[in-house]
Amino acid sequence: MSTALDLALLRVSEPEVRQLLQACQEVKKRAYSVYSNFRVGAALITERDRHIITGCNVENASYGLTVCAERAAICQAVSRGYREFSCIAVTSDVQGVYCTPCGACRQFIAEFSPEGYVLLVQPGLSEDEYLKGKGAQIVAVSSLLPSGFTPADLHLPKHKEQDVTETIQL
Ligand code: THU
């Protein structure tokens, strides 16, 4: 049993969620996934101006340099001057299963949207089905990354005896 998508939770209107559903699937077609053959598409909507900004995964012959779709979209948003977004939609080609953001992407999403939500989207269903909650699911960023490291952690008081010779051992 699926329940209808809670658009208020995502802080998007119905036309906006339709755009997000389309955009994440459309950008997935541009994935550069020549090594894994695993395409991922992500689309976010900016809090201000309501722009849809997308990203796909971009792999590299030096595998570890691969950039995931979510991080590609977020870097694009930040580069365009947007640091706040209402929700990010993520999709892959895997049928019947949600592609959840990897650990690095969870950390990246939480940097900008710790209170936000991710919209997970399976491929191949109709927009109306997604809106009814079939093949689409909302997950809280806080549940994807519980007890995550946050920008605030950088400013916590430090142990006084910390000194350079303790941390650098030649
Ligand atoms: N990938 C993403 O783009 N997002 C994720 O959250 C999971 C993994 C990509 C990275 C790589 O190009 C491919 O999927 C297989 O790991």
Side-chain angles (χ1 to χ4, degrees), residues 94-166:
V94 181
Q95 210 169 13
V97 176
Y98 294 108
C99 173
T100 59
C102 76
C105 287
R106 292 174 193 209
Q107 181 72 30
F108 224 77
I109 295 167
E111 175 82 15
F112 298 101
S113 203
E115 317 285 321
Y117 291 86
V118 177
L119 176 60
L120 304 173
V121 183
Q122 292 175 11
L125 288 100
S126 72
E127 274 177 36
D128 289 334
E129 285 174 308
Y130 291 132
L131 282 165
K132 286 182 196 145
K134 191 160 182 246
Q137 186 182 306
I138 298 171
V139 284
V141 173
S142 59
S143 75
L144 288 172
L145 192 68
S147 312
F149 186 77
T150 71
D153 290 318
L154 291 169
H155 304 294
L156 294 175
K158 291 180 183 140
H159 181 58
K160 285 200 183 64
E161 283 168 24
Q162 181 197 40
D163 96 27
V164 180
T165 51
E166 271 182 53

Side-chain angles (χ1 to χ4, degrees), residues 63-90:
Y63 298 164
L65 297 183
T66 291
V67 178
C68 291
E70 299 89 322
R71 279 179 287 147
I74 292 169
C75 287
Q76 171 86 242
V78 172
S79 305
R80 286 169 61 175
Y82 299 101
R83 295 180 181 180
E84 285 165 19
F85 45 88
S86 303
C87 114
I88 181 163
V90 183

